[in-house]
Amino acid sequence: MFHLFDSIRKGTPYIIAEMSANHGGSLDTALEIVRQAAKAGTNCVKIQTYTADTITIDCDNEYFRIKGGLWDGYKLYDLYTDAGTPWEWQERIRQECEACGIDFLSTPFDNTAVDFLEGIGCEAYKIASFELVDVPLIEYAAGKGKPMIISCGMGSTEEIQDAVDACRRAGNEQIVLLKCCSEYPANWADMHLANIPDMQKRFGVPVGLSDHSAGSLAAVVGVTLGACVIEKHVKLDGVQSADSEFSMTMQEFVQMVRDVQNAAAIRGEIHYGPTLGEAGNLALRRSLFAVKDIRKGERFAKDNVRSIRPAQGLAPKKLGQVLQCRAAWDIAFGEPIDLQMLESI
C-alpha cells in the first residue's frame, strides 16, 4: 500500500528521496541509495522511467541542444542516454524499497513507461514539471486509478488547472501538487513558496514542495507553509552524475529529514489555550491581591488592591468591579481577593 495519503491525514510530511541520475550508471549504487535513504527516514525513493528514445529524438540541430545552465551544450538525446535508469533495474529497485519498508515511486515520461510501471507494481505516479503540459500523458497515467503527484515548475495557473482537470476526467481525485522551481540549483528568490497555501485554496488539493535548492531551509519553510510532501534529490558521496551538482548528500539528507519533521512539529495544529506543558504555569499568572491590610467596611482602592502574580485571586479584569465595593471583613496584606470579600457600597 502506498502511504502518501496516510501521512497527509496524520499531518506528517511525506518525504521523497529522488534518485534521478545519481545511480551514476551502477545498480549497486542505486540499491545503496535506497538503503541509505530508508535509514535516513525517507518515506519513499523515486526514480525516473524513460529512455532517450521515449523522451526525445536523436537529433543534433539547434532545437535539441541545451543552452545555458548546468547542462549547457548537451544534446538532449545524449543527456538522457547518460542519465536514464535502465528499465531492467527498476523491478529490483522496487523490491529493495519494499525490503527497506519504504514506498517506491517513478516518473513516467510516456505511455509505454506507464505500462511498464504497471507491470512491475508501481503504486503511484509522479509527473515531472516539464511534462505538466503533457495533458494526454497525465490523463493516461491518472486513468490507472493511483495517486498522482504532479510537479508544477514553470506552470501557470491555467496549466496547473489543466493537469488537475485531466486527472479528474480520468476519474482520479488522488492528486497532490508540488510547488517547484525548475532551476538547477534553484535560486531562493525564485522559489515563491507563498504559492503553497494559495495553491491549496485555488486547486482544492494537497500541496507539497519539490525542492532543487541548496540545504534544508526551503524544505523547512515549505513545511511551515503547509507543504505535505517534500521531494529532494539525493546522492552518495563520490558518485558523479548529471544531477549530482544540485543533489543533497546522504549526511545532509539525514539532517533535512530531522529538520522537516521538527518544522512540522513546531507548526503543529490550530490550538488556543494552555498546552499540557503550560498548564502548570497558569498558577503564575496575575490576579488581584490585597497589597495592604484592609479593614472590614474599608473601600477597595488602587493603593490596597493590585494585579500581581500569582493567580490565586480574582482575574485582573474584575478590578473595576472590586473598586466599587468595600471589604466584607478584615483582609490581611498578601491575601488573594475573592468574590466573598466584596460588599456592595
Side-chain angles (χ1 to χ4, degrees):
M1 181 181 72
F2 200 72
H3 297 92
L4 170 64
F5 286 99
D6 285 343
S7 290
I8 292 173
R9 281 188 288 270
K10 293 174 185 174
T12 56
Y14 185 86
I15 299 173
I16 300 172
E18 164 68 90
M19 183 185 303
S20 190
N22 287 323
H23 51 71
S26 164
L27 176 58
D28 287 341
T29 298
L31 299 178
E32 185 61 19
I33 287 174
V34 172
R35 290 187 284 267
Q36 290 198 27
K39 187 176 178 181
T42 197
N43 299 96
C44 177
V45 164
K46 188 182 86 67
I47 62 172
Q48 300 181 3
T49 304
Y50 64 82
T51 67
D53 290 302
T54 65
I55 200 169
T56 190
I57 57 173
D58 189 3
C59 182
D60 197 19
N61 69 28
E62 61 177 316
Y63 304 113
F64 294 87
R65 287 275 177 186
I66 298 173
K67 301 173 183 66
L70 186 61
W71 304 296
D72 183 46
Y74 239 119
K75 187 172 80 172
L76 286 179
Y77 192 90
D78 293 342
L79 174 63
Y80 299 132
T81 297
D82 293 346
T85 302
W87 291 21
E88 60 268 23
W89 294 1
Q90 297 195 13
E91 167 68 1
R92 179 69 186 87
I93 294 170
R94 187 199 65 76
Q95 291 171 349
E96 193 67 23
C97 289
E98 184 176 356
C100 291
I102 60 174
D103 291 336
F104 167 83
L105 178 64
S106 188
T107 300
F109 289 82
D110 78 326
N111 290 3
T112 68
V114 175
D115 294 340
F116 170 79
L117 290 168
E118 283 288 293
I120 66 170
C122 191
E123 295 182 292
Y125 293 108
K126 164 72 190 300
I127 300 298
S129 290
F130 292 78
E131 276 60 47
L132 176 67
V133 294
D134 193 341
V135 171
L137 171 63
I138 294 170
E139 193 164 351
Y140 186 76
K144 304 305 178 182
K146 297 173 180 178
M148 295 288 293
I149 304 170
I150 304 174
S151 278
C152 300
M154 304 172 286
S156 67
T157 56
E158 292 80 11
E159 289 165 343
I160 297 169
Q161 189 65 62
D162 284 347
V164 171
D165 291 344
C167 293
R168 290 175 172 157
R169 277 196 305 275
N172 192 332
E173 293 285 345
Q174 301 176 84
I175 307 163
V176 175
L177 300 177
L178 301 185
K179 176 67 185 81
C180 181
C181 175
S182 296
E183 299 175 15
Y184 305 91
N187 184 325
W188 285 344
D190 292 340
M191 294 187 71
H192 301 297
L193 298 193
N195 281 22
I196 291 171
D198 183 73
M199 288 168 68
Q200 291 168 343
K201 294 175 186 176
R202 189 182 295 269
F203 302 107
V205 300
V207 177
L209 171 66
S210 178
D211 178 22
H212 299 140
S213 68
S216 300
L217 183 58
V220 168
V221 172
V223 167
T224 62
L225 289 170
C228 60
V229 174
I230 297 294
E231 180 185 65
K232 195 79 172 180
H233 281 71
V234 297
K235 65 180 180 181
L236 301 183
D237 283 336
V239 177
Q240 297 297 311
S241 78
D243 297 329
S244 58
E245 285 192 38
F246 66 91
S247 298
M248 181 174 266
T249 67
M250 280 297 173
Q251 292 85 351
E252 293 169 328
F253 185 66
V254 168
Q255 185 61 51
M256 190 208 79
V257 170
R258 291 189 191 129
D259 290 343
V260 163
Q261 291 170 341
N262 288 337
I266 291 167
R267 181 192 66 207
E269 300 174 346
I270 296 171
H271 174 88
Y272 294 94
T275 65
L276 186 61
E278 290 175 316
N281 287 327
L282 289 173
L284 296 176
R285 281 178 156 184
R286 299 177 82 95
S287 69
L288 301 181
F289 270 81
V291 294
K292 289 183 179 179
D293 290 337
I294 306 171
R295 292 183 179 276
K296 178 181 178 180
E298 184 179 349
R299 186 164 179 167
F300 294 106
K302 290 183 178 179
D303 67 345
N304 62 23
V305 176
R306 283 175 51 203
S307 167
I308 61 172
R309 295 184 183 187
Q312 301 303 311
L314 291 173
K317 68 181 180 180
K318 299 289 188 181
L319 179 60
Q321 177 185 347
V322 171
L323 295 180
Q324 300 301 315
C325 299
R326 59 189 174 196
W329 58 75
D330 289 346
I331 304 169
F333 169 79
E335 279 194 69
I337 304 299
D338 64 39
L339 288 172
Q340 287 71 36
M341 296 175 175
L342 307 185
E343 186 175 272
S344 298
I345 296 174

